[in-house]
Amino acid sequence: MDCMQNFISNINKMTAKYDFHCHSTASDGSLSPAELIQRAAQQQITLIALTDHDTISGLVLAQQAALENNLTLINGIELSVTWHKHAIHIVGLNIQPNSDILMTGIAQLQHIRHQRVSKIAEKLEKNHIVGVYQAMAILGEKTLITRSHFARFLVSEGYVQNEQQAFDHYLGQGKCAYVATEWATLAEVMDWIHQAGGVAVLAHPLRYHFSATLMRRLLTEFKNLGGVGIEVVSGRYQIDDIRRCAEYAQKFNLAASVGSDFHTPANPWIELGRLAALPTELTPIWTYF
Ligand code: AMP
Ligand code: MN
Ligand code: MN
Ligand code: MN
């Protein structure tokens, strides 16, 4: 632990390039854990967290690749939460993947995901989409299925032109194949992360389109439950977005995290580690690792 802290504070001094939010084929990324780490190394990233949706199954291969490519991998996960009927995401960083409590929690979320896959497939088939069940059964053998996988299927079969259209026409909230889902509660996932020795970070805070009041409620609750960080620099955030999130960080005394939410090289707008610098007045999340 001390060793890790020294290492991290050293690379901090060297102005390391880092990324604490990205996905592999263990969930809805298109690169395998090893390919993802190789890409991170090519991007001169020195410190990275792999944060697949509701699974840690990519971490072992990612750790191997990190060793081979001379960069440091923080074990991470992005957990699905239902908070006051809204789906939100909490990133757990520096978790011990062998934690029983975390593993039991993840199994619960994976069970919910499996059930949801059948329900979404059923709705799609009712809407004249053919072969969804079979495609998802094959995919499901090696990956944890998300709506992104359905979106890619709809694109590859020519039902829509791109993933955004798949969400707009079929998978998004209120659309014909949308399935309202009760994920874990905020209190539950915070507990799992803490029991696994990790720190909890609110992912992509602006993606939820919450009012200022709702955001205050969320951050108050998150902080009371032991939340440590908030993503201040995320994916395609512009300077105004960063400023808004930096204000939340300061107001709620939260550390600032940085994560691209990289899923695929096919999206030219988001690259691993290609992120704005953190505002200097904020406490960086890695001081908590
Ligand atoms: P799920 O957790 O199964 O509901 O899937 C959520 C994933 O779908 C997210 O992590 C994104 O990668 C992707 N996603 C969600 N909304 C959209 C959207 N509007 N356009 C493209 N991808 C989306
Ligand atoms: Mn995703
Ligand atoms: Mn997310
Ligand atoms: Mn993500």
Side-chain angles (χ1 to χ4, degrees):
M1 196 65 181
D2 275 356
C3 180
M4 176 69 106
Q5 259 159 11
N6 286 341
F7 177 77
I8 290 168
S9 62
N10 284 342
I11 48 179
N12 183 10
K13 280 180 206 133
M14 299 185 312
T15 59
K17 201 167 164 187
Y18 32 68
D19 195 330
F20 302 125
H21 187 153
C22 59
H23 298 271
S24 75
T25 47
S27 66
D28 58 352
S30 71
L31 300 181
S32 70
E35 289 166 341
L36 184 87
I37 296 299
Q38 279 153 17
R39 192 177 184 91
Q42 282 159 10
Q43 301 293 328
Q44 274 91 42
I45 292 174
T46 40
L47 188 58
I48 188 166
L50 174 60
T51 56
D52 274 306
H53 297 283
D54 307 322
T55 180
I56 51 169
S57 70
L59 293 178
V60 170
L61 289 175
Q63 282 294 1
Q64 254 172 38
L67 261 178
E68 288 161 14
N69 287 276
N70 204 23
L71 53 76
T72 301
L73 177 83
I74 303 290
N75 289 318
I77 189 164
E78 181 174 17
L79 292 164
S80 308
V81 168
T82 299
W83 182 77
H84 296 276
K85 300 214 177 343
H86 303 280
I88 64 165
H89 290 170
I90 302 292
V91 165
L93 295 177
N94 210 24
I95 48 166
Q96 288 149 16
N98 57 358
S99 151
D100 281 345
I101 287 174
L102 179 63
M103 283 198 287
T104 309
I106 295 172
Q108 194 179 307
L109 285 173
Q110 292 180 356
H111 179 68
I112 295 170
R113 278 199 179 276
H114 291 142
Q115 288 184 319
R116 189 179 71 147
V117 167
S118 311
K119 290 182 195 160
I120 295 176
E122 193 181 330
K123 289 196 167 194
L124 284 171
E125 301 236 341
K126 273 195 187 132
N127 283 275
H128 319 294
I129 309 291
V130 184
V132 198
Y133 274 109
Q134 204 185 1
M136 292 305 143
I138 294 166
L139 261 178
E141 283 173 18
K142 49 184 194 312
T143 192
L144 186 60
I145 293 185
T146 71
R147 280 185 297 164
S148 300
H149 297 95
F150 284 99
R152 279 176 217 150
F153 172 84
L154 291 169
V155 175
S156 71
E157 296 299 304
Y159 291 103
V160 289
Q161 279 167 351
N162 54 52
E163 289 185 34
Q164 188 56 52
Q165 277 186 8
F167 279 89
D168 292 346
H169 296 305
Y170 293 96
L171 303 165
Q173 190 161 1
K175 304 302 173 193
C176 62
Y178 182 74
V179 173
T181 308
E182 277 290 318
W183 302 107
T185 67
L186 183 59
E188 281 171 329
V189 306
M190 300 295 282
D191 184 49
W192 304 341
I193 292 170
H194 295 150
Q195 300 276 357
V199 295
V201 173
L202 177 66
H204 41 64
L206 305 181
R207 182 93 52 93
Y208 315 122
H209 303 289
F210 284 173
S211 66
T213 312
L214 204 52
M215 190 58 112
R216 256 200 314 275
R217 246 171 99 183
L218 172 60
L219 290 172
T220 305
E221 220 172 289
F222 177 69
K223 183 79 187 171
N224 288 340
L225 289 166
V228 165
I230 178 170
E231 286 181 353
V232 169
V233 178
S234 165
R236 297 175 66 183
Y237 275 14
Q238 303 292 311
I239 189 72
D240 283 351
D241 304 324
I242 295 172
R243 220 172 267 145
R244 267 176 74 191
C245 293
E247 275 171 23
Y248 286 130
Q250 284 188 312
K251 216 182 238 166
F252 290 86
N253 198 19
L254 291 164
S257 190
V258 175
S260 63
D261 207 0
F262 176 89
H263 283 73
T264 171
N267 177 356
W269 306 109
I270 293 182
E271 180 54 88
L272 276 176
R274 197 176 68 200
L275 291 154
L278 269 184
T280 50
E281 67 273 22
L282 302 179
T283 307
I285 191 70
W286 60 81
T287 60
Y288 286 87
F289 296 160

